[in-house]
Structures are given as structure tokens and as C-alpha cells.
Amino acid sequence: MTFSPSTRTGLSAGAALLLLAALAIVPRFVQSPYALHVLILIFLSTIMGQAWNILGGYTGQYSVGHAAYFGVGAYVTVSLMLHRQIAPWVGMWAGAAAVVVVALVIGSICFRLRGPYFVLASIAVTEIMRLVATNLKDLTNGAEGILATEIPPLKFGATVITDFGSKVPFYYIGLGLAVLTILVTWAVTHSKLGYCFQAIREDQDAAHSLGINPTLYKNIALAISAVLTSFAGAFYAIYVGFVDPPTVLGLDLSVQIVLICIIGGIGTIQGPMVGACILVPLSEILRSNAVPELLMKWGWMNGESGIGLFLKENLAHAHVLIYGILVVLVILYMPEGLVGFLRRVTRGRRAA
Amino acid sequence: MDVFLQSLISGILLGGVYALIGTGLTLIFGVMRVINFAHGDIQMVGMYLTYLLFVHAGIDPFVSVLITFPLMFLFGGLIQKVFINRVLDALPQNQILLTIGLGLIMSNTAMLIFTSDYKILTTSYSSGSVKLGGISISQPMTISFLITVAVTAALWWFLKKTDTGQAIRATAQDRDAAQLMGINVKRMSIIAFGLGSSLVATAGALIAPTYYIYPQVGAAFTLKAFVITVLGGMGSIVGAALGGIIIGISESMGAAYIGAGWKDVVVFALFLLVLLLKPSGLMGKSNA
Amino acid sequence: MKRTLVTMALALGLSGTAWSQALKIGVINSMSGPEAPIGENLTNGIKLAEEDLKKKGILLQIVWEDDTGKPQIAMSAMEKLATRDGVAGIVGPYTSACANAVSKLAERYKTPLLVPAAAKEEITRQGLKYVFRMNAPADVYAAVLVDAATGLGKPKTIAFMYENTDFGTSTTKTAKEYVAKKGIQVVADEPYPKGAQDYRSTLSVIKSKNPDLVFLVSYVADAILIMRQSKEVGLKPQAFLGGGAGYTTAQFATEKAVSNFVFSCTQWTDDVSWPGAKDFGKRYKAKFGKEPTYHAACAYESMMVMADCAQKAKGDKEQTQAALRAGKWNGIMGDVKFEDYNGFTNQNNHQMLVQQLFDGNYETVFPAKFATRKPTYPFPGWK
């Protein structure tokens, strides 16, 4: 089958709308808070991955310091809510404004550097921010972190949502932010801005000679990416209700953000979504010891037998190990991510 | 005054070990242009090796370097051949993630084998010190500093005076040109990664009597290794040695005069300053 | 995507059905990640409790959940245990950050949560009915140590050196408030990032201030390093006060050259007169090949109490909560009763102990009714 480009765009837009409609009615049918929680985490990961994608995937600036923007978004939103009683959906814009400032400062430092030096500088800046957040106790409450207890009611026209203990409001906020992030990415990549970004990614010096100012466009990409990441941070802070320096400003988080994108497929709209849909459930399954549980349930393994006991005892401890092995395998065998891999496979089949 | 001298002395002694960690990384980066995020985890493997030799064979950590060094050379060479070699031309973020993945595998395998307990090696000299006026000089750290100096000198000799060493340096300078000149670039990469691993594992062995061992111990050292390497100039052995000492001193001065919580901020700020003002590092060529 | 969702929902639903008649109790603990070294002690304590309960005829099905030390993962675990696994109650999580994050969820799902060893005061200060805590919170750590020191001498100055983690800062914060009341002056306040190799410069700063008391909060590895280096730089206060954690471990005690005469506070020791404490220590050592920490004892007793309540309630969550509130126990942690006092809710008003190290042995020295030996004060100096 072959489609003209416009039909293909139409088809994928239709598919996207169908998917969105399906996701919108999920809470009607899925009551399990745990399943909703997993979906919310998937949305969160999608936002983080997609936001990084704009800078890393389309502009080719591989920041391993996106936790900085996530953390600032989270801290500003929660602090405003606790100390100034400002609702998080207002506070997150204040967070976004703060993040733009932070991003421009970071950009002015890091964008002077290229390749590995850029990566290292982005890590160093974020580490400094984590340490500062740990040490400035008056501002951030230091290592003790900030506990967000009460969320003010949210007014949507006539309806007022107050029940934030339930997953449903967070589900829709998360879904909404994810859709927003994806739309922004789509809009950016289909505009002149996007072409400038990609020109810089392909060859910065060539782009420069074509009259594209690399510093300007890199900073624009960073600002967009940082603001979207800060939304993810604000959403996380309100949802989890607790922020402290290692969880919202840690290197782990920065790596996690990059990983979502790389596993899914860098520089593609679908990549971060696919990455999130793989990584979140995978870590849940590995972590909660579901594999030996299922094997036992299906009678393939005896819980008291040697192997059964060994798996039961060790698999829960080994989930990060398995995670590491998967990362290595993906990088070695699908360096372009799952989306890129599938494209290559289907293209290969078409060619044959 | 005592505080100042004490901080200076401990900073220098600490810096010696940092120098060794940085030298290992700079060698790997110089030859392969790969940022090795598993560097600290390789150090961790070396530390557990030291621990095993000490507990089960009664070999003193400083002596066990003679065993750890060659074993870790093989270990590093193997990792290069099986994994790193395949991503030499890949995008930098893929190289980084690969080494992060390898690091996760190492640290979590160590956790399955040794549990996550802290292992502490207590030797007869672990808290030994020599008093000099108002300040004290740690005995084990002085010994490890001397060993560091010896190892660095030996490495410098190897790179300058032997054929293999010169081939490694040529590869580091220009990989393609080296290949054209008939140098077996692949072999040099394996040797460089092996040597880098040996060096960082040696550093691990040297701090084992005064520090402690646990599966995640590497993470903090990986970051430090980058700072040291960039500070000295990526690929420069002398630079890495100098960078190590500078970082050691700034850490301990920062802890004494600004506060222990801020000492890493001092280190990272120094790192950024060097990146911005002299990106090629203190000992690097200025056009890099 | 849709199919993934369906398969996921299926997978989640499948393993959620009831398994057997055994009592289901959830455990959330840091089994991997940076908190795992301490988390392991809790795991061991709970395993021992499982055995003992089996002997008593109470069959448990423990659902283990690893929170990897991250609050959002602890929340996942909590959601899963409360809504999918249908546990009667939950023991855990270990860290304060994780316990904090899940406490509101416990309330929401009306699932009793018994926190075994997290120190942050706020956990049981939010008026949550379903959140219980076994151990004494952070404020007691400092109070009991300073009381012991002021009872023994007349210290006028104190220096604080503590890891800049949640545990370290919150313990020190309450300690500073407490010494202010006692009229002791703070001459140094040095938070440090845990895992540093060299504390000599910070210690020589403290030495230059010549404090009467040195208050330390660290985990075991740093505790040993700090004391080794204190000896090196010749720091010699009237007393070293170790705020729990690292200063109460067997590993610390074995470093006789540097650990001698250090005071520390603890939730539990194996030589205290509480019923079964000695026996627990012995069996723990036999099974796991190392000395139990107070975390292990707290986790053990938490599981015993939780299982007792869950059994009485026949696995019903609300009745388990009622049983926890109503009950009274006397086990290896001494008297256990969950009470409301001083703004706390469902907090076990646990008596902390002060112990001192004598040649590698911990001896309880305070309060007097549990004392096994007379304390040595002031610190006689380094050997």
C-alpha cells in the first residue's frame, strides 16, 4: 500500500484523534487507581521525553541536565502554593517564567560548548542547582524537602473540582499536558523554527553560513523545552505532594528523561510516547515482582522449588540490573530507538 | 593557621587519588572520545576485588594493587572489545547511555553478590597518623599518594618511551591518521580502555583502607573524574594529575572555609569556569 | 496503544485475585537503590517475624514492594498494595521521604500503614487515622542524648556535624531547639554531603572552636570515617554524641580504636530488658550472620503487631486499624501503644535509650532504669 503524503498525514491525524478519544474515556471504564496511576506516570514520562526531544532530538543538543528545569518548575509551584496560597495552575506559569530565566543562564554557559563538553556542562550546572537547593534551607527547606498537603479547589466554569485524592483529575491534567506538549512539538517541527533547529542539528556551521543564528535558535529550543519540562515538574510536585533535591534535581532524573526519548526514538513525535509506554510499565512489572508471581500463578514454576525461590528472592532486587541490560541491548541493536527500528524494518519489507 | 595547613595537606593527599581516577578517564577519552559513565563503577569493581583479596587471602590493599592492576586491565579490555567498540561512531548520547547501562549492570551485579552492606576494610594503619605541629598527616593516605606518584610516573614513561605508548598517543592525536600510518587502532583502543580501568581500579584499591565499599560507590567518583579530566585538559596525563590535586585542595578548602555542604559547588563552579575560559583545560592545546 | 492498555489491565487484574487463606500484609521498603544498605535490615527483621508468626500458627502472605528510595515509586507500591492486592495493612516504607509521600494515600484507601523506622516528625503529625509509627521520631533522638550529657556534666558549648539528608537535618533541627532551651551555645553547625572521603578540614574547624559536646548524625560508613579522622586531628570534647543510625551499629562498635566511649541514642539494643530482645539478637545473628540494627528490631515488631491486628480483624482493613489503635503489646521493643499526644497521632511513645561503647560493647547508660553500666564522662581521650 502506498499513500500520498497528505493522505498519510490525514490518516495519522485521524489515528491520533481516535487514540485521544479512547484515552479520554478510560477513567469511565478503569476504576483501579493503580492502573490510572500507571497511566498518569506514562503521561508524565511522555511530557518529559517530548520536552527533551525538542532540544535533544530536533536541535541536536544532548542535555543531560533537564532535571534543572523539572526541579525549578516543581519547587516554584509548590512553594507558591504553600507560602502564597497561589493555585498550582497559576503557579506553574510562574515556574515557567523562572525556568526561562534559568534556561537562558544555563544556555549562555553551555551553548558555548559542543559535543561531550556540552553534555558535561549541562550535568555540572544541574548538580550545582541540586547542591544549592540542598544548602539554601530558607528557600527550599533543604534536604527535608517540601510536603504539599492541601491543593486548593480548581474551578472549571461552573464545575469545581476539589477531590484531588482521586486519580481522575490528575489523569485529565496529565493527559492534557501530554497533548499540549505533543502539539507544541508538532507545531514547532512543522514551522520555520523547526527547520532551523534541524539545520543546526545536521550541521551547525553550515546552518550558520545559511544565515541561521545558531545561538539564538538553540536558546529558543532550550526555552521551549525547559518550559515544557517545568510543567512536568509542577505536575509531578502536585501529584506526588513531595519534592526534595535528589528526586527533582538529581542526575538520575536527567538520565531517565534522556532514556525515554532514546528508547522510543529520538527526533520523532511518537518516540517519547513509545518510550514512556515501554519504560513505565516495564519498571513497574520488574519492580513489583510480577514476573515470578505470574509464572507461579500459571503453574509454570513452583514457589517452593529452588529456581522459584531464587527468582522470588532475587528478581525484585535485580530489576535495575535487568533495566541496565535492556538499555545496553537497545543501544547496541536499536540505536535509533524503537520507532526508528520499526521504521527500518517496515521499510526493509516494503523494499523487498 | 592550623585549619589552613590541615586542609591544604589533606587536600593534596586526597588529590593524589583523584589524579589517578582522572588519568584513567583521560586516557580513555583521549583515545576513543567516549565519555565513560561507568568509570566509577569500574572503580567499584576494583574496590570489591581489593576487599576479596584482603578478607579471603589476607593480602594488604596496597600490595594487592599488583593483582588488581592486571585483572582490571583484562576486565576493561573485554568491556571495550564487546561493548564500547561497537558505538565508537555512534551519537554521543548513545555512547553515554551505553556506559550508564554498563554501570548499572556492574553496580547491581555487585549488589546481588555482596548485598548492599557497607564493607569497611580495617587495617592496622587505617587511622594512623603522624603529628606535625598542630596538624596531622594520615599515614595510609601518604602511602597511597606515593604509590599514585609512582604509577603516574610509570604511565608517563610508558606513553613516552615505548612503541605501544607512542602508538596510543598517536591514536589519541588523530585516529584516522594513526590508522593510515599502520597503527592497529582497534588494539590501541582496547589497551587504552584496559589501562584506564586498571588506573581507576588502582585508585579504588588505594582508598579502600580509608574509605568504604558499597555497590553504588562509583557514582560520585564518575562525576569527579569528569571534572578533573576537563580541568586538566581531556587527554592530558599531566593535566589530569594536576587537576586531581587542584580538585582535592579546593574540596578541602571549600569544606573548611565555606562549609562542607558547599564544597562540591566550589568544584563544579571551578569546572564551569575552566570550560568557559579555557575549554581545552589547563594543560590542553589552546585550539582544541 | 489500546491493545497495550488492555493487556496491561489484564495482567494487572490477573495477578490481583485472592491467592489463599493466608493473611495478606504488604511491605514497602527500599530494597535497591541508595537506601538499600539500611533497607536490608528491615527486610531481615520482617523475614524473622514471618518465621515466628508461622510458629504461632499465623500464616502470612507478605507482598513485597521495593520503593527504590524514591517517593513516587513508593506511591506506586502503595496504590498497588491498597487497591489491587487487597492487603490488610502495610509495614513500611523505610525512608522519611517515602513514608511521607504514601501516608495520605493510606488514609485515602483506609489501609493501615505502620511506619517502622522513619524519623521525620510530620509523618504522624498530620492527624491521619490510618498512619501509625513504631519508632520514636526525630525530636527524641536529640532530647535523650542532651539529657544524658547534662545529667553527667556541665557542657556549655556544642558543635553539630551531620549529613545534609532529611534524617540529618531534621534531627539536628530539633536538637538545636532543645539545646537552646538548656542554655547550651552552638559553636559550630556543619552539614556535610554524605559519602565524602575527607572530613579532616571540617573536623579541624570544629576542633578550633573547642566545643564541650560534639553531636554527630551519620550513617555507619561515614560514622567510622568521621571518628577515625577525629582521632587523627585530635578532636577531644567532653563527649561525642552520636544521633542514632551509624553510631549504633555493630560495625561501628568493632572499630574499637575510634569508637570507644562514644555515646549514642538508639531505638533498641539486644541487651535491654525488653522481652525477647536478647533472643531476637541471637537468632538474627544466626540467620543473617550479622548483628541486628534497631531498624531490624523496629521492622520485626511492626510486622508482629500488624499481623496480630490483621488476624484479629480477619484481614479487614478498617478493623485492623481499630485493633492497632486499641491494642497494647509488650515485645522486643518494650511497651507498644499507639497514642495521640503533643500533636502526634497514632504515635508509639517509645522510650529511646542512650548507650556508650566500652571496648566494642554497647552498654545502656541512660535512662537509669535500663542502665547496665555507669557511663564514663568526660571523654578520657584517645589511646
Side-chain angles (χ1 to χ4, degrees):
Chain A
M1 269 203 300
T2 44
F3 296 113
S4 72
S6 61
T7 343
R8 283 190 60 187
T9 317
L11 268 181
S12 42
L17 281 177
L18 266 181
L19 175 66
L20 186 60
L23 282 172
I25 55 168
V26 161
R28 286 189 177 273
F29 300 102
V30 179
Q31 249 82 51
S32 154
Y34 179 56
L36 287 180
H37 172 76
V38 171
L39 285 170
I40 292 171
L41 290 185
I42 291 178
F43 295 151
L44 182 70
S45 293
T46 306
I47 305 168
M48 299 192 298
Q50 196 68 273
W52 185 86
N53 203 13
I54 293 177
L55 185 68
Y58 290 105
T59 323
Q61 306 299 311
Y62 310 111
S63 152
V64 189
H66 260 49
Y69 317 116
F70 187 92
V72 170
Y75 266 108
V76 170
T77 312
V78 170
S79 310
L80 286 177
M81 187 172 87
L82 285 186
H83 303 307
R84 298 271 179 281
Q85 281 76 45
I86 293 171
W89 26 96
V90 181
M92 68 185 236
W93 294 100
V99 157
V100 170
V101 176
V102 172
L104 292 179
V105 173
I106 294 183
S108 70
I109 300 172
C110 296
F111 284 141
R112 297 171 186 217
L113 305 160
R114 288 194 196 182
Y117 295 98
F118 174 81
V119 173
L120 292 176
S122 68
I123 294 176
V125 174
T126 311
E127 278 294 289
I128 289 181
M129 293 187 58
R130 180 179 67 79
L131 293 164
V132 168
T134 312
N135 286 311
L136 288 184
K137 286 187 198 131
D138 298 331
L139 195 67
T140 61
N141 205 23
E144 287 181 70
I146 302 176
L147 188 65
T149 39
E150 293 302 317
I151 303 176
L154 166 65
K155 281 199 195 93
F156 253 139
T159 44
V160 179
I161 307 169
T162 47
D163 183 20
F164 282 100
S166 134
K167 300 283 154 208
V168 179
F170 286 110
Y171 179 90
Y172 285 112
I173 296 172
L175 179 61
L177 282 174
V179 171
L180 173 78
T181 315
I182 291 165
L183 285 179
V184 168
T185 314
W186 190 86
V188 165
T189 51
H190 286 78
S191 68
K192 180 175 171 267
L193 211 53
Y195 295 117
C196 294
F197 291 172
Q198 288 175 44
I200 292 170
R201 177 185 68 189
E202 296 311 326
D203 189 335
Q204 184 171 326
D205 300 319
H208 193 73
S209 61
L210 286 174
I212 297 171
N213 178 348
T215 314
L216 174 71
Y217 283 98
K218 279 195 231 170
N219 275 305
I220 294 175
L222 174 64
I224 299 173
S225 172
V227 165
L228 293 173
T229 309
S230 82
F231 289 162
F235 178 61
Y236 170 90
I238 304 302
Y239 180 55
V240 174
F242 180 76
V243 292
D244 69 346
T247 44
V248 300
L249 286 164
L251 180 58
D252 277 6
L253 178 66
S254 298
V255 171
Q256 183 73 21
I257 292 174
V258 182
L259 213 53
I260 297 164
C261 217
I262 305 270
I263 301 268
I266 190 169
T268 60
I269 291 268
Q270 304 93 324
M273 290 186 259
V274 173
C277 288
I278 294 170
L279 285 181
V280 173
L282 185 74
S283 75
E284 273 302 295
I285 289 167
L286 291 176
R287 182 189 61 75
S288 65
N289 231 352
V291 177
E293 228 175 84
L294 274 181
L295 288 179
M296 268 186 279
K297 184 173 289 306
W298 294 338
W300 292 355
M301 192 180 84
N302 184 347
E304 303 302 314
S305 72
I307 304 169
L309 267 180
F310 177 81
L311 280 183
K312 216 169 83 178
E313 290 277 310
N314 287 311
L315 214 56
H317 293 273
H319 65 265
V320 191
L321 175 64
I322 296 169
Y323 202 80
I325 293 173
L326 279 173
V327 171
V328 169
L329 290 179
V330 167
I331 299 288
L332 288 183
Y333 296 104
M334 302 179 201
E336 66 283 71
L338 202 69
V339 170
F341 177 75
L342 289 178
R343 275 190 192 163
R344 198 178 60 193
V345 169
T346 47
R347 212 175 286 151
R349 204 181 291 155
R350 243 182 250 149
Chain B
M1 194 59 196
D2 277 358
V3 173
F4 178 80
L5 283 178
Q6 181 71 59
S7 306
L8 187 69
I9 296 280
S10 352
I12 292 173
L13 293 183
L14 189 66
V17 178
Y18 286 172
L20 212 49
I21 299 172
T23 313
L25 191 74
T26 215
L27 200 59
I28 292 172
F29 182 85
V31 172
M32 272 157 282
R33 296 280 180 263
V34 168
I35 307 184
N36 178 22
F37 265 83
H39 203 60
D41 296 293
I42 294 173
Q43 179 186 346
M44 178 270 305
V45 175
M47 290 173 89
Y48 272 109
L49 210 56
T50 310
Y51 169 80
L52 285 179
L53 289 169
F54 180 73
V55 172
H56 295 292
I59 302 174
D60 185 277
F62 291 142
V63 179
S64 71
V65 169
L66 294 171
I67 302 166
T68 320
F69 196 95
L71 277 181
M72 291 306 289
F73 181 82
L74 294 178
F75 180 76
L78 192 71
I79 286 186
Q80 204 286 337
K81 203 168 159 53
V82 179
F83 300 104
I84 310 292
N85 201 25
R86 310 176 57 159
V87 295
L88 285 184
D89 300 317
L91 295 168
Q93 79 271 21
N94 283 20
Q95 297 174 338
I96 291 172
L97 285 178
L98 178 74
T99 55
I100 288 177
L102 289 173
L104 284 178
I105 294 175
M106 285 181 221
S107 60
N108 283 280
T109 307
M111 198 172 94
L112 282 182
I113 299 173
F114 298 101
T115 76
S116 35
D117 274 350
Y118 295 108
K119 307 281 187 212
I120 293 170
L121 294 186
T122 308
T123 55
S124 54
Y125 48 80
S126 270
S127 57
S129 66
V130 181
K131 287 265 177 247
L132 229 120
I135 61 169
S136 71
I137 298 166
S138 161
Q139 213 175 310
M141 288 185 77
T142 312
I143 304 174
S144 74
F145 186 84
L146 294 176
I147 296 178
T148 304
V149 172
V151 171
T152 313
L155 181 75
W156 192 81
W157 175 84
F158 168 77
L159 289 176
K160 288 270 166 179
K161 302 288 174 198
T162 64
D163 289 347
T164 320
Q166 281 172 350
I168 289 177
R169 277 171 49 222
T171 314
Q173 235 157 43
D174 190 332
R175 211 180 164 78
D176 298 329
Q179 187 130 33
L180 288 176
M181 278 161 60
I183 291 173
N184 187 342
V185 171
K186 278 199 170 148
R187 201 166 139 249
M188 292 312 131
S189 301
I190 295 175
I191 294 176
F193 208 96
L195 262 182
S197 305
S198 297
L199 290 169
V200 72
T202 304
L206 294 182
I207 55 173
T210 49
Y211 198 52
Y212 44 85
I213 308 162
Y214 63 104
Q216 280 88 18
V217 71
F221 288 102
T222 304
L223 277 188
K224 218 153 271 174
F226 291 139
V227 174
I228 295 161
T229 315
V230 171
L231 200 65
M234 287 261 196
S236 159
I237 304 288
V238 182
L242 196 66
I245 308 264
I246 292 175
I247 293 300
I249 295 174
S250 21
E251 267 189 17
S252 99
M253 289 291 173
Y257 294 104
I258 309 177
W262 291 97
K263 70 179 165 98
D264 288 333
V265 177
V266 175
V267 169
F268 284 121
L270 196 66
F271 171 69
L272 286 176
L273 272 179
V274 169
L275 267 185
L276 291 177
L277 301 178
K278 197 167 186 302
S280 52
L282 297 177
M283 302 301 281
K285 290 185 191 67
S286 51
N287 60 350
Chain C
M1 173 72 196
K2 215 170 160 194
R3 186 178 290 168
T4 339
L5 281 181
V6 175
T7 356
M8 223 175 68
L10 269 177
L12 295 176
L14 259 179
S15 42
T17 44
W19 189 16
S20 67
Q21 289 307 305
L23 276 178
K24 253 191 176 182
I25 293 181
V27 171
I28 306 176
N29 186 17
S30 305
M31 297 190 264
S32 63
E35 307 294 342
I38 314 276
E40 192 180 317
N41 298 308
L42 284 95
T43 306
N44 291 344
I46 291 168
K47 281 189 182 155
L48 214 53
E50 192 180 12
E51 272 179 19
D52 288 4
L53 288 161
K54 206 171 187 176
K55 281 182 214 146
K56 281 176 150 187
I58 302 178
L59 208 59
L60 282 190
Q61 187 201 335
I62 295 181
V63 187
W64 295 91
E65 292 282 332
D66 180 8
D67 63 27
T68 70
K70 292 187 181 133
Q72 75 272 30
I73 306 286
M75 284 174 73
S76 296
M78 182 77 200
E79 306 268 1
K80 178 175 165 290
L81 290 173
T83 66
R84 190 171 76 94
D85 295 324
V87 295
I90 295 167
V91 174
Y94 156 58
T95 67
S96 286
C98 292
N100 237 332
V102 303
S103 59
K104 270 175 295 166
L105 291 176
E107 192 76 357
R108 165 153 192 96
Y109 297 124
K110 295 195 169 14
T111 306
L113 177 76
L114 178 46
V115 178
K120 204 178 178 68
E121 290 166 66
E122 281 87 341
I123 295 168
T124 45
R125 276 198 164 201
Q126 308 170 61
L128 302 174
K129 292 194 191 68
Y130 280 83
V131 179
F132 297 79
R133 174 160 48 189
M134 176 64 68
N135 63 301
D139 56 339
V140 186
Y141 283 74
V144 73
L145 273 173
V146 175
D147 282 348
T150 48
L152 292 168
K154 285 197 172 44
K156 289 192 182 55
T157 52
I158 189 166
F160 289 99
M161 182 169 172
Y162 52 99
E163 54 171 46
N164 60 0
T165 59
D166 188 15
F167 177 64
T169 39
S170 53
T171 310
T172 308
K173 196 165 76 184
T174 58
K176 274 185 236 162
E177 285 162 16
Y178 197 75
V179 296
K181 271 188 238 161
K182 296 269 162 184
I184 302 173
Q185 194 200 345
V186 179
V187 291
D189 179 14
E190 298 281 348
Y192 69 84
K194 84 178 182 190
Q197 287 178 63
D198 189 84
Y199 298 102
R200 292 172 187 88
S201 41
T202 308
L203 286 166
S204 52
V205 170
I206 291 180
K207 187 187 169 195
S208 70
K209 302 277 166 62
N210 203 14
D212 292 339
L213 299 174
V214 174
F215 190 101
L216 303 157
V217 187
S218 335
Y219 281 120
V220 61
D222 288 328
I224 294 174
L225 244 59
I226 287 175
M227 291 311 294
R228 276 182 186 170
Q229 298 179 10
S230 294
K231 183 185 173 199
E232 269 183 40
V233 302
L235 181 62
K236 189 177 168 294
Q238 286 177 20
F240 285 101
L241 308 176
Y247 297 90
T248 69
T249 57
Q251 218 174 350
F252 181 71
T254 51
E255 300 282 318
K256 291 176 199 166
V258 296
S259 69
N260 219 6
F261 304 118
V262 171
F263 288 91
S264 57
C265 60
T266 183
Q267 308 271 358
W268 180 88
T269 77
D270 63 358
D271 61 52
V272 75
S273 56
W274 296 328
K278 225 171 238 116
D279 184 48
F280 174 81
K282 226 180 279 165
R283 284 186 303 136
Y284 189 98
K285 220 184 302 176
K287 189 167 164 70
F288 303 109
K290 56 183 176 187
E291 301 276 345
T293 64
Y294 69 74
H295 308 93
C298 289
Y300 171 88
E301 186 66 4
S302 298
M303 184 47 86
M304 296 301 278
V305 166
M306 184 57 93
D308 179 51
C309 293
Q311 201 209 15
K312 278 183 202 148
K314 297 198 178 58
D316 180 84
K317 295 197 286 192
E318 286 174 41
Q319 283 176 36
T320 305
Q321 189 268 351
L324 279 166
R325 259 198 86 80
K328 224 180 139 177
W329 298 264
N330 184 18
I332 65 164
M333 294 286 291
D335 286 323
V336 173
K337 179 155 180 43
F338 300 105
E339 294 170 297
D340 303 347
Y341 64 94
N342 294 348
F344 287 109
T345 315
N346 295 336
Q347 170 67 49
N348 177 26
N349 195 350
H350 182 66
Q351 171 67 57
M352 284 193 76
L353 308 166
V354 174
Q355 46 187 3
Q356 193 173 18
L357 271 162
F358 295 98
D359 207 23
N361 290 314
Y362 283 109
E363 301 278 0
T364 308
V365 295
F366 184 86
K369 91 168 166 175
F370 295 108
T372 53
R373 182 168 170 170
K374 260 180 82 80
T376 299
Y377 189 99
F379 178 63
W382 301 101
K383 246 181 247 168

